Amino acid sequence: MTTRRIILAAGVLAAATLLSSGAVYAQAKLVLKASDVHPTGYPTVTAVEDLGKKLEKATNGRLSVAMYPAMQLGGEKEAIEQAQVGAIMFARVSVGALGPVIDDLNVFNLPYVFRNTEHMQHVIDGPIGQELLDKVTNSGKGLVGLAWMDAGARNFYTTKKAIHNMADLKGQKIRVMGNPIFVDMANSMGANGVPLGYDQVFSSMQTGVVDGAENNPPSFVFDNHYQVAKSYTVDEHLIVPEMVVVSKKIYDSLSKDEQALLVKFGKEAQQEERKLWAVYEKQAMDKAKAAGIQIIQVSAEDKKAFQAAVKPVWDKYGPKYADMVKRIQDVK
Ligand code: GTR
């Protein structure tokens, strides 16, 4: 155990002792910590903050949320671990980062599994979405799946050689999220996939450790990646939604009424974030254009080449999720 983990564990133990002492617990105010890699003003951050305001009002201040944005508590792997041990309540993370912890979610990490972002929204809003939230809750991994969040589609961006078609990816070192599916995806397209935490993306591009990365427009712009990567290629290889997971340890310590409030406000946060996302995505593209970023739209034909290239990824990971993939495809 690192010193930090020991301190965290000690804190959790102290909190648990306090919580179990009946009367104190009933009255005690509880500040629930939330972690997000994105800065203040980002849709996911605002949606969780607003959830916190509603919670505070509805519980007369007994519960409130303290947001730690902009990677103050580390990257997404760290956020998941902190929620698992009860050191924080909310981890808003990508399903890309959650897949290695809860394998059922990896079906959403298969390239081109969704036809478009609207299809993805219909899937997460429907029975499949609820089923996967429940899988998180019942996984025994110390997490409760509370809500989904939109994150648009992911595209490639590079610091030196712009990507007009797949051939331009050849040999380029591209940062991907820490999930083997994405490494294989990048490699199958001819690039070298380099898995790194989100906290390392900017500096790795700046120092030339990687030649580029891939992400949605808001992350590209509002996390400042566009200051080092000057071309952005719209190919939409991944549509990966995000989740707000909460610590099961803390969740279980709440009253049934409080849990119900959390679930209700979680559902509202999902819809609120979607509206904020649509505005933010457009703002990001406008800002990128205004900053002189070369925006490259891949042709329909080239997109087919990208899709064909990821066949080995589907051959390797797809069969396990065949039933679920079929159900996803059946969603209109
Ligand atoms: C962003 C996402 C983050 C994080 C990041 C990444 O789009 O909102 O949760 O997963 O991508 O690439 O690591």
Side-chain angles (χ1 to χ4, degrees), residues 115-179:
R115 291 188 294 277
N116 47 42
T117 51
E118 205 186 0
H119 178 213
M120 179 275 290
Q121 290 168 349
H122 291 163
V123 174
I124 61 174
D125 286 350
I128 296 177
Q130 189 55 48
E131 197 174 312
L132 290 179
L133 287 174
D134 294 344
K135 289 251 192 225
V136 173
T137 308
N138 300 324
S139 64
K141 294 290 165 79
L143 301 169
V144 171
L146 191 69
W148 292 99
M149 304 230 139
D150 277 38
R154 296 174 76 101
N155 303 304
F156 290 108
Y157 43 95
T158 43
T159 54
K160 297 177 208 101
K161 186 177 177 195
I163 298 161
H164 294 273
N165 50 44
M166 215 176 57
D168 292 329
L169 265 176
K170 186 125 196 78
Q172 297 224 45
K173 292 196 285 297
I174 302 291
R175 178 271 172 179
V176 292
M177 284 185 271
N179 184 321

Short mmCIF file of all heavy atoms in Angstrom, two decimals, residues 115-179:
data_model
loop_
_atom_site.label_atom_id
_atom_site.label_comp_id
_atom_site.label_asym_id
_atom_site.label_seq_id
_atom_site.Cartn_x
_atom_site.Cartn_y
_atom_site.Cartn_z
N ARG A 115 -24.37 3.09 -34.65
CA ARG A 115 -24.48 3.69 -36.00
C ARG A 115 -24.13 5.17 -35.97
O ARG A 115 -23.52 5.71 -36.86
CB ARG A 115 -25.91 3.53 -36.53
CG ARG A 115 -26.29 2.09 -36.87
CD ARG A 115 -27.63 2.04 -37.57
NE ARG A 115 -28.73 2.47 -36.71
CZ ARG A 115 -29.35 1.69 -35.83
NH1 ARG A 115 -28.97 0.42 -35.70
NH2 ARG A 115 -30.33 2.14 -35.08
N ASN A 116 -24.58 5.85 -34.91
CA ASN A 116 -24.32 7.28 -34.74
C ASN A 116 -24.64 7.64 -33.28
O ASN A 116 -25.08 6.77 -32.52
CB ASN A 116 -25.17 8.12 -35.71
CG ASN A 116 -26.62 7.66 -35.71
OD1 ASN A 116 -27.17 7.38 -34.65
ND2 ASN A 116 -27.23 7.55 -36.88
N THR A 117 -24.45 8.89 -32.91
CA THR A 117 -24.63 9.24 -31.49
C THR A 117 -26.10 9.12 -31.07
O THR A 117 -26.40 8.79 -29.93
CB THR A 117 -24.11 10.67 -31.18
OG1 THR A 117 -24.67 11.57 -32.12
CG2 THR A 117 -22.62 10.75 -31.25
N GLU A 118 -27.00 9.35 -31.99
CA GLU A 118 -28.43 9.22 -31.67
C GLU A 118 -28.77 7.76 -31.32
O GLU A 118 -29.50 7.49 -30.36
CB GLU A 118 -29.24 9.67 -32.89
CG GLU A 118 -30.60 10.15 -32.52
CD GLU A 118 -31.44 10.45 -33.75
OE1 GLU A 118 -30.95 10.28 -34.88
OE2 GLU A 118 -32.58 10.83 -33.54
N HIS A 119 -28.20 6.86 -32.08
CA HIS A 119 -28.39 5.42 -31.79
C HIS A 119 -27.88 5.11 -30.39
O HIS A 119 -28.55 4.45 -29.59
CB HIS A 119 -27.66 4.60 -32.87
CG HIS A 119 -27.72 3.12 -32.66
ND1 HIS A 119 -26.70 2.28 -33.03
CD2 HIS A 119 -28.68 2.32 -32.13
CE1 HIS A 119 -27.03 1.03 -32.73
NE2 HIS A 119 -28.22 1.03 -32.19
N MET A 120 -26.68 5.62 -30.07
CA MET A 120 -26.11 5.40 -28.74
C MET A 120 -27.05 5.93 -27.66
O MET A 120 -27.30 5.27 -26.65
CB MET A 120 -24.73 6.08 -28.68
CG MET A 120 -24.00 5.97 -27.36
SD MET A 120 -24.49 7.22 -26.18
CE MET A 120 -23.81 8.70 -26.90
N GLN A 121 -27.62 7.12 -27.89
CA GLN A 121 -28.52 7.70 -26.88
C GLN A 121 -29.75 6.82 -26.67
O GLN A 121 -30.19 6.62 -25.54
CB GLN A 121 -28.96 9.10 -27.32
CG GLN A 121 -27.83 10.11 -27.25
CD GLN A 121 -28.17 11.42 -27.95
OE1 GLN A 121 -29.16 11.54 -28.67
NE2 GLN A 121 -27.32 12.42 -27.76
N HIS A 122 -30.29 6.28 -27.75
CA HIS A 122 -31.46 5.41 -27.61
C HIS A 122 -31.10 4.15 -26.81
O HIS A 122 -31.90 3.66 -26.02
CB HIS A 122 -32.01 5.01 -28.99
CG HIS A 122 -32.63 6.16 -29.71
ND1 HIS A 122 -32.89 6.16 -31.05
CD2 HIS A 122 -33.06 7.38 -29.26
CE1 HIS A 122 -33.43 7.32 -31.41
NE2 HIS A 122 -33.54 8.06 -30.33
N VAL A 123 -29.89 3.66 -27.03
CA VAL A 123 -29.46 2.45 -26.30
C VAL A 123 -29.28 2.75 -24.81
O VAL A 123 -29.80 2.02 -23.96
CB VAL A 123 -28.16 1.87 -26.91
CG1 VAL A 123 -27.63 0.71 -26.06
CG2 VAL A 123 -28.40 1.39 -28.35
N ILE A 124 -28.59 3.83 -24.48
CA ILE A 124 -28.35 4.09 -23.04
C ILE A 124 -29.62 4.53 -22.31
O ILE A 124 -29.76 4.29 -21.12
CB ILE A 124 -27.18 5.08 -22.78
CG1 ILE A 124 -27.43 6.46 -23.39
CG2 ILE A 124 -25.85 4.51 -23.21
CD1 ILE A 124 -26.36 7.50 -23.04
N ASP A 125 -30.55 5.13 -23.03
CA ASP A 125 -31.81 5.55 -22.38
C ASP A 125 -32.78 4.38 -22.19
O ASP A 125 -33.76 4.49 -21.46
CB ASP A 125 -32.52 6.61 -23.24
CG ASP A 125 -31.83 7.97 -23.15
OD1 ASP A 125 -30.94 8.13 -22.30
OD2 ASP A 125 -32.18 8.87 -23.94
N GLY A 126 -32.55 3.28 -22.88
CA GLY A 126 -33.51 2.16 -22.86
C GLY A 126 -33.09 1.03 -21.93
O GLY A 126 -32.22 1.20 -21.07
N PRO A 127 -33.71 -0.14 -22.11
CA PRO A 127 -33.46 -1.28 -21.23
C PRO A 127 -32.00 -1.73 -21.18
O PRO A 127 -31.51 -2.14 -20.12
CB PRO A 127 -34.32 -2.40 -21.81
CG PRO A 127 -35.18 -1.80 -22.86
CD PRO A 127 -34.73 -0.41 -23.13
N ILE A 128 -31.29 -1.63 -22.31
CA ILE A 128 -29.88 -2.06 -22.29
C ILE A 128 -29.07 -1.14 -21.37
O ILE A 128 -28.23 -1.60 -20.58
CB ILE A 128 -29.28 -2.04 -23.72
CG1 ILE A 128 -30.00 -3.07 -24.60
CG2 ILE A 128 -27.78 -2.32 -23.70
CD1 ILE A 128 -29.56 -3.10 -26.06
N GLY A 129 -29.37 0.14 -21.46
CA GLY A 129 -28.67 1.11 -20.59
C GLY A 129 -28.88 0.77 -19.12
O GLY A 129 -27.93 0.72 -18.34
N GLN A 130 -30.14 0.49 -18.75
CA GLN A 130 -30.44 0.16 -17.35
C GLN A 130 -29.77 -1.15 -16.94
O GLN A 130 -29.21 -1.27 -15.86
CB GLN A 130 -31.95 0.09 -17.14
CG GLN A 130 -32.35 -0.04 -15.68
CD GLN A 130 -31.78 1.08 -14.79
OE1 GLN A 130 -31.86 2.27 -15.14
NE2 GLN A 130 -31.14 0.72 -13.68
N GLU A 131 -29.80 -2.10 -17.87
CA GLU A 131 -29.18 -3.40 -17.58
C GLU A 131 -27.68 -3.26 -17.28
O GLU A 131 -27.16 -3.88 -16.36
CB GLU A 131 -29.39 -4.28 -18.83
CG GLU A 131 -29.21 -5.74 -18.61
CD GLU A 131 -29.58 -6.50 -19.90
OE1 GLU A 131 -30.65 -6.23 -20.49
OE2 GLU A 131 -28.77 -7.35 -20.32
N LEU A 132 -27.02 -2.41 -18.05
CA LEU A 132 -25.57 -2.25 -17.83
C LEU A 132 -25.27 -1.44 -16.56
O LEU A 132 -24.29 -1.71 -15.88
CB LEU A 132 -24.90 -1.65 -19.07
CG LEU A 132 -24.85 -2.61 -20.28
CD1 LEU A 132 -24.19 -1.94 -21.48
CD2 LEU A 132 -24.11 -3.91 -19.96
N LEU A 133 -26.15 -0.49 -16.24
CA LEU A 133 -25.97 0.21 -14.96
C LEU A 133 -26.10 -0.81 -13.82
O LEU A 133 -25.31 -0.82 -12.87
CB LEU A 133 -27.04 1.30 -14.77
CG LEU A 133 -26.93 2.58 -15.62
CD1 LEU A 133 -28.16 3.46 -15.41
CD2 LEU A 133 -25.67 3.37 -15.31
N ASP A 134 -27.09 -1.70 -13.95
CA ASP A 134 -27.30 -2.72 -12.91
C ASP A 134 -26.12 -3.71 -12.85
O ASP A 134 -25.77 -4.19 -11.78
CB ASP A 134 -28.60 -3.50 -13.18
CG ASP A 134 -29.83 -2.61 -13.03
OD1 ASP A 134 -29.71 -1.52 -12.43
OD2 ASP A 134 -30.91 -2.98 -13.53
N LYS A 135 -25.52 -3.98 -13.99
CA LYS A 135 -24.36 -4.89 -14.00
C LYS A 135 -23.24 -4.29 -13.15
O LYS A 135 -22.53 -5.01 -12.45
CB LYS A 135 -23.82 -5.08 -15.43
CG LYS A 135 -24.73 -5.92 -16.30
CD LYS A 135 -24.15 -7.28 -16.57
CE LYS A 135 -24.95 -7.94 -17.66
NZ LYS A 135 -25.31 -9.30 -17.45
N VAL A 136 -23.09 -2.97 -13.25
CA VAL A 136 -22.06 -2.31 -12.44
C VAL A 136 -22.40 -2.48 -10.97
O VAL A 136 -21.58 -2.88 -10.15
CB VAL A 136 -21.97 -0.80 -12.81
CG1 VAL A 136 -21.02 -0.07 -11.86
CG2 VAL A 136 -21.51 -0.64 -14.25
N THR A 137 -23.67 -2.21 -10.64
CA THR A 137 -24.11 -2.28 -9.24
C THR A 137 -23.96 -3.70 -8.69
O THR A 137 -23.60 -3.89 -7.53
CB THR A 137 -25.59 -1.83 -9.14
OG1 THR A 137 -25.69 -0.55 -9.79
CG2 THR A 137 -26.05 -1.73 -7.71
N ASN A 138 -24.22 -4.70 -9.53
CA ASN A 138 -24.18 -6.08 -9.05
C ASN A 138 -22.84 -6.78 -9.32
O ASN A 138 -22.73 -7.99 -9.19
CB ASN A 138 -25.31 -6.88 -9.72
CG ASN A 138 -26.66 -6.28 -9.37
OD1 ASN A 138 -26.85 -5.80 -8.25
ND2 ASN A 138 -27.58 -6.25 -10.32
N SER A 139 -21.84 -6.00 -9.72
CA SER A 139 -20.57 -6.61 -10.12
C SER A 139 -19.71 -7.05 -8.94
O SER A 139 -18.72 -7.75 -9.12
CB SER A 139 -19.77 -5.61 -10.96
OG SER A 139 -19.43 -4.49 -10.15
N GLY A 140 -20.06 -6.59 -7.74
CA GLY A 140 -19.22 -6.90 -6.59
C GLY A 140 -17.93 -6.09 -6.59
O GLY A 140 -16.99 -6.38 -5.86
N LYS A 141 -17.89 -5.04 -7.42
CA LYS A 141 -16.66 -4.23 -7.52
C LYS A 141 -16.74 -2.97 -6.66
O LYS A 141 -15.93 -2.05 -6.80
CB LYS A 141 -16.41 -3.84 -8.99
CG LYS A 141 -16.09 -5.03 -9.89
CD LYS A 141 -14.71 -5.59 -9.56
CE LYS A 141 -14.46 -6.96 -10.14
NZ LYS A 141 -14.12 -7.01 -11.52
N GLY A 142 -17.75 -2.87 -5.81
CA GLY A 142 -17.82 -1.74 -4.88
C GLY A 142 -18.37 -0.47 -5.51
O GLY A 142 -18.12 0.63 -5.02
N LEU A 143 -19.10 -0.62 -6.62
CA LEU A 143 -19.62 0.55 -7.33
C LEU A 143 -21.12 0.42 -7.58
O LEU A 143 -21.63 -0.70 -7.71
CB LEU A 143 -18.90 0.72 -8.67
CG LEU A 143 -17.38 0.90 -8.63
CD1 LEU A 143 -16.80 0.77 -10.03
CD2 LEU A 143 -17.00 2.25 -8.01
N VAL A 144 -21.80 1.55 -7.69
CA VAL A 144 -23.20 1.57 -8.11
C VAL A 144 -23.26 2.39 -9.41
O VAL A 144 -22.72 3.50 -9.47
CB VAL A 144 -24.09 2.25 -7.03
CG1 VAL A 144 -25.51 2.47 -7.56
CG2 VAL A 144 -24.13 1.39 -5.76
N GLY A 145 -23.88 1.82 -10.44
CA GLY A 145 -24.02 2.55 -11.71
C GLY A 145 -25.20 3.50 -11.59
O GLY A 145 -26.34 3.07 -11.48
N LEU A 146 -24.93 4.80 -11.58
CA LEU A 146 -26.00 5.77 -11.31
C LEU A 146 -26.61 6.35 -12.58
O LEU A 146 -27.83 6.41 -12.72
CB LEU A 146 -25.44 6.91 -10.44
CG LEU A 146 -26.48 7.85 -9.86
CD1 LEU A 146 -27.32 7.14 -8.80
CD2 LEU A 146 -25.81 9.08 -9.25
N ALA A 147 -25.77 6.81 -13.50
CA ALA A 147 -26.32 7.49 -14.69
C ALA A 147 -25.33 7.43 -15.84
O ALA A 147 -24.13 7.23 -15.64
CB ALA A 147 -26.60 8.95 -14.36
N TRP A 148 -25.88 7.61 -17.03
CA TRP A 148 -25.05 7.71 -18.23
C TRP A 148 -24.82 9.16 -18.58
O TRP A 148 -25.62 10.02 -18.21
CB TRP A 148 -25.76 7.06 -19.42
CG TRP A 148 -25.90 5.58 -19.30
CD1 TRP A 148 -27.01 4.90 -18.89
CD2 TRP A 148 -24.90 4.59 -19.60
NE1 TRP A 148 -26.76 3.54 -18.92
CE2 TRP A 148 -25.48 3.33 -19.35
CE3 TRP A 148 -23.58 4.66 -20.05
CZ2 TRP A 148 -24.78 2.15 -19.53
CZ3 TRP A 148 -22.88 3.48 -20.23
CH2 TRP A 148 -23.48 2.24 -19.98
N MET A 149 -23.76 9.41 -19.32
CA MET A 149 -23.53 10.75 -19.85
C MET A 149 -23.06 10.64 -21.29
O MET A 149 -22.33 9.71 -21.64
CB MET A 149 -22.47 11.49 -19.03
CG MET A 149 -22.81 11.58 -17.55
SD MET A 149 -22.69 13.20 -16.85
CE MET A 149 -24.16 13.22 -15.80
N ASP A 150 -23.47 11.59 -22.11
CA ASP A 150 -23.05 11.62 -23.51
C ASP A 150 -21.60 12.10 -23.64
O ASP A 150 -21.16 12.94 -22.87
CB ASP A 150 -23.89 12.64 -24.28
CG ASP A 150 -25.20 12.05 -24.72
OD1 ASP A 150 -25.78 11.27 -23.95
OD2 ASP A 150 -25.63 12.37 -25.84
N ALA A 151 -20.92 11.60 -24.63
CA ALA A 151 -19.58 12.12 -24.91
C ALA A 151 -19.32 12.17 -26.41
O ALA A 151 -18.18 12.14 -26.86
CB ALA A 151 -18.53 11.28 -24.21
N GLY A 152 -20.39 12.21 -27.20
CA GLY A 152 -20.24 12.36 -28.65
C GLY A 152 -19.42 11.26 -29.29
O GLY A 152 -19.37 10.14 -28.80
N ALA A 153 -18.75 11.62 -30.38
CA ALA A 153 -17.92 10.65 -31.10
C ALA A 153 -16.46 11.09 -31.02
O ALA A 153 -16.16 12.28 -30.91
CB ALA A 153 -18.36 10.57 -32.56
N ARG A 154 -15.57 10.10 -31.08
CA ARG A 154 -14.13 10.38 -30.96
C ARG A 154 -13.47 10.38 -32.33
O ARG A 154 -13.78 9.56 -33.19
CB ARG A 154 -13.48 9.35 -30.03
CG ARG A 154 -14.01 9.42 -28.62
CD ARG A 154 -13.46 8.31 -27.76
NE ARG A 154 -12.08 8.53 -27.36
CZ ARG A 154 -11.71 8.98 -26.16
NH1 ARG A 154 -12.61 9.28 -25.25
NH2 ARG A 154 -10.43 9.12 -25.87
N ASN A 155 -12.53 11.30 -32.49
CA ASN A 155 -11.81 11.50 -33.76
C ASN A 155 -10.32 11.65 -33.49
O ASN A 155 -9.91 12.01 -32.39
CB ASN A 155 -12.34 12.79 -34.41
CG ASN A 155 -13.84 12.74 -34.63
OD1 ASN A 155 -14.36 11.84 -35.27
ND2 ASN A 155 -14.56 13.71 -34.06
N PHE A 156 -9.52 11.42 -34.52
CA PHE A 156 -8.06 11.50 -34.35
C PHE A 156 -7.55 12.94 -34.49
O PHE A 156 -8.09 13.72 -35.27
CB PHE A 156 -7.36 10.65 -35.42
CG PHE A 156 -7.54 9.18 -35.22
CD1 PHE A 156 -8.36 8.43 -36.05
CD2 PHE A 156 -6.88 8.52 -34.17
CE1 PHE A 156 -8.54 7.06 -35.86
CE2 PHE A 156 -7.05 7.15 -33.97
CZ PHE A 156 -7.88 6.43 -34.82
N TYR A 157 -6.51 13.26 -33.74
CA TYR A 157 -5.81 14.54 -33.95
C TYR A 157 -4.31 14.34 -33.75
O TYR A 157 -3.89 13.51 -32.96
CB TYR A 157 -6.34 15.66 -33.05
CG TYR A 157 -6.63 15.34 -31.61
CD1 TYR A 157 -5.68 15.57 -30.61
CD2 TYR A 157 -7.88 14.84 -31.22
CE1 TYR A 157 -5.98 15.32 -29.27
CE2 TYR A 157 -8.17 14.58 -29.89
CZ TYR A 157 -7.22 14.81 -28.91
OH TYR A 157 -7.50 14.55 -27.59
N THR A 158 -3.55 15.10 -34.51
CA THR A 158 -2.10 14.86 -34.54
C THR A 158 -1.32 16.17 -34.46
O THR A 158 -1.82 17.25 -34.80
CB THR A 158 -1.71 14.13 -35.84
OG1 THR A 158 -2.41 14.73 -36.92
CG2 THR A 158 -2.07 12.66 -35.78
N THR A 159 -0.07 16.05 -34.03
CA THR A 159 0.76 17.25 -33.86
C THR A 159 1.58 17.56 -35.11
O THR A 159 1.97 18.70 -35.32
CB THR A 159 1.75 17.06 -32.68
OG1 THR A 159 2.49 15.85 -32.90
CG2 THR A 159 1.01 16.98 -31.36
N LYS A 160 1.87 16.53 -35.92
CA LYS A 160 2.73 16.80 -37.09
C LYS A 160 1.98 16.51 -38.38
O LYS A 160 1.48 17.41 -39.03
CB LYS A 160 4.01 15.97 -37.00
CG LYS A 160 4.86 16.33 -35.79
CD LYS A 160 6.08 15.43 -35.69
CE LYS A 160 6.54 15.28 -34.25
NZ LYS A 160 6.14 14.02 -33.62
N LYS A 161 1.88 15.23 -38.70
CA LYS A 161 1.28 14.87 -39.98
C LYS A 161 -0.24 14.72 -39.87
O LYS A 161 -0.74 13.89 -39.10
CB LYS A 161 1.90 13.54 -40.44
CG LYS A 161 1.49 13.12 -41.82
CD LYS A 161 2.19 11.84 -42.22
CE LYS A 161 1.67 11.42 -43.59
NZ LYS A 161 1.98 10.07 -43.92
N ALA A 162 -0.97 15.52 -40.64
CA ALA A 162 -2.44 15.46 -40.59
C ALA A 162 -2.94 14.13 -41.18
O ALA A 162 -2.28 13.53 -42.03
CB ALA A 162 -3.01 16.62 -41.38
N ILE A 163 -4.10 13.70 -40.70
CA ILE A 163 -4.68 12.43 -41.18
C ILE A 163 -5.84 12.71 -42.13
O ILE A 163 -6.89 13.18 -41.72
CB ILE A 163 -5.15 11.58 -39.98
CG1 ILE A 163 -3.95 11.25 -39.08
CG2 ILE A 163 -5.81 10.29 -40.45
CD1 ILE A 163 -4.32 10.83 -37.71
N HIS A 164 -5.60 12.45 -43.41
CA HIS A 164 -6.65 12.63 -44.42
C HIS A 164 -7.38 11.32 -44.68
O HIS A 164 -8.55 11.30 -45.02
CB HIS A 164 -6.05 13.16 -45.73
CG HIS A 164 -5.49 14.54 -45.58
ND1 HIS A 164 -6.26 15.66 -45.74
CD2 HIS A 164 -4.25 14.96 -45.23
CE1 HIS A 164 -5.51 16.72 -45.51
NE2 HIS A 164 -4.29 16.33 -45.21
N ASN A 165 -6.62 10.23 -44.56
CA ASN A 165 -7.22 8.91 -44.72
C ASN A 165 -6.39 7.94 -43.88
O ASN A 165 -5.43 8.36 -43.23
CB ASN A 165 -7.25 8.49 -46.19
CG ASN A 165 -5.89 8.68 -46.83
OD1 ASN A 165 -4.87 8.31 -46.23
ND2 ASN A 165 -5.83 9.27 -48.00
N MET A 166 -6.78 6.68 -43.90
CA MET A 166 -6.15 5.75 -42.98
C MET A 166 -4.64 5.58 -43.20
O MET A 166 -3.89 5.38 -42.25
CB MET A 166 -6.84 4.40 -43.05
CG MET A 166 -6.87 3.75 -41.68
SD MET A 166 -7.77 2.23 -41.74
CE MET A 166 -6.88 1.34 -42.97
N ALA A 167 -4.22 5.72 -44.44
CA ALA A 167 -2.79 5.55 -44.74
C ALA A 167 -1.94 6.54 -43.94
O ALA A 167 -0.80 6.24 -43.55
CB ALA A 167 -2.56 5.72 -46.24
N ASP A 168 -2.50 7.72 -43.67
CA ASP A 168 -1.75 8.74 -42.92
C ASP A 168 -1.51 8.37 -41.46
O ASP A 168 -0.69 8.98 -40.77
CB ASP A 168 -2.48 10.09 -42.98
CG ASP A 168 -2.48 10.69 -44.38
OD1 ASP A 168 -1.51 10.44 -45.12
OD2 ASP A 168 -3.45 11.40 -44.72
N LEU A 169 -2.25 7.39 -40.98
CA LEU A 169 -2.07 6.97 -39.58
C LEU A 169 -0.84 6.08 -39.41
O LEU A 169 -0.34 5.90 -38.31
CB LEU A 169 -3.29 6.17 -39.12
CG LEU A 169 -4.43 6.89 -38.38
CD1 LEU A 169 -5.56 5.91 -38.13
CD2 LEU A 169 -3.95 7.47 -37.06
N LYS A 170 -0.38 5.55 -40.52
CA LYS A 170 0.69 4.54 -40.49
C LYS A 170 1.89 5.01 -39.66
O LYS A 170 2.46 6.06 -39.90
CB LYS A 170 1.14 4.23 -41.92
CG LYS A 170 2.13 3.11 -42.03
CD LYS A 170 1.64 2.01 -42.99
CE LYS A 170 2.40 0.74 -42.82
NZ LYS A 170 1.98 -0.04 -41.65
N GLY A 171 2.20 4.21 -38.65
CA GLY A 171 3.39 4.47 -37.84
C GLY A 171 3.25 5.60 -36.84
O GLY A 171 4.15 5.84 -36.05
N GLN A 172 2.12 6.30 -36.84
CA GLN A 172 1.97 7.41 -35.88
C GLN A 172 1.64 6.85 -34.49
O GLN A 172 0.81 5.96 -34.36
CB GLN A 172 0.84 8.35 -36.33
CG GLN A 172 1.11 9.03 -37.67
CD GLN A 172 0.76 10.52 -37.64
OE1 GLN A 172 1.10 11.24 -36.71
NE2 GLN A 172 0.10 10.98 -38.67
N LYS A 173 2.31 7.41 -33.49
CA LYS A 173 2.05 6.97 -32.11
C LYS A 173 0.84 7.75 -31.59
O LYS A 173 0.89 8.97 -31.45
CB LYS A 173 3.28 7.22 -31.23
CG LYS A 173 4.47 6.33 -31.60
CD LYS A 173 5.52 6.29 -30.52
CE LYS A 173 6.37 7.52 -30.43
NZ LYS A 173 7.22 7.90 -31.54
N ILE A 174 -0.23 7.00 -31.36
CA ILE A 174 -1.49 7.64 -30.97
C ILE A 174 -1.87 7.23 -29.56
O ILE A 174 -2.01 6.03 -29.26
CB ILE A 174 -2.63 7.25 -31.95
CG1 ILE A 174 -2.29 7.65 -33.40
CG2 ILE A 174 -3.96 7.85 -31.50
CD1 ILE A 174 -2.27 9.14 -33.68
N ARG A 175 -2.06 8.23 -28.69
CA ARG A 175 -2.51 7.91 -27.34
C ARG A 175 -3.96 7.42 -27.36
O ARG A 175 -4.81 8.01 -28.02
CB ARG A 175 -2.41 9.16 -26.45
CG ARG A 175 -2.92 8.93 -25.01
CD ARG A 175 -4.40 9.20 -24.87
NE ARG A 175 -4.89 8.80 -23.54
CZ ARG A 175 -6.14 8.94 -23.13
NH1 ARG A 175 -7.04 9.48 -23.92
NH2 ARG A 175 -6.52 8.56 -21.94
N VAL A 176 -4.20 6.33 -26.65
CA VAL A 176 -5.57 5.83 -26.49
C VAL A 176 -5.83 5.64 -24.99
O VAL A 176 -4.89 5.65 -24.19
CB VAL A 176 -5.78 4.48 -27.23
CG1 VAL A 176 -5.72 4.66 -28.74
CG2 VAL A 176 -4.78 3.42 -26.76
N MET A 177 -7.09 5.47 -24.63
CA MET A 177 -7.43 5.21 -23.23
C MET A 177 -6.86 3.86 -22.81
O MET A 177 -6.63 2.99 -23.65
CB MET A 177 -8.95 5.18 -23.05
CG MET A 177 -9.58 6.54 -23.06
SD MET A 177 -11.36 6.45 -22.69
CE MET A 177 -12.04 6.21 -24.32
N GLY A 178 -6.64 3.69 -21.52
CA GLY A 178 -6.02 2.46 -21.01
C GLY A 178 -6.95 1.27 -21.07
O GLY A 178 -7.51 0.84 -20.06
N ASN A 179 -7.12 0.74 -22.26
CA ASN A 179 -8.00 -0.43 -22.46
C ASN A 179 -7.46 -1.16 -23.70
O ASN A 179 -7.30 -0.55 -24.76
CB ASN A 179 -9.44 0.07 -22.70
CG ASN A 179 -10.45 -1.04 -22.82
OD1 ASN A 179 -10.18 -2.08 -23.41
ND2 ASN A 179 -11.62 -0.83 -22.26
#
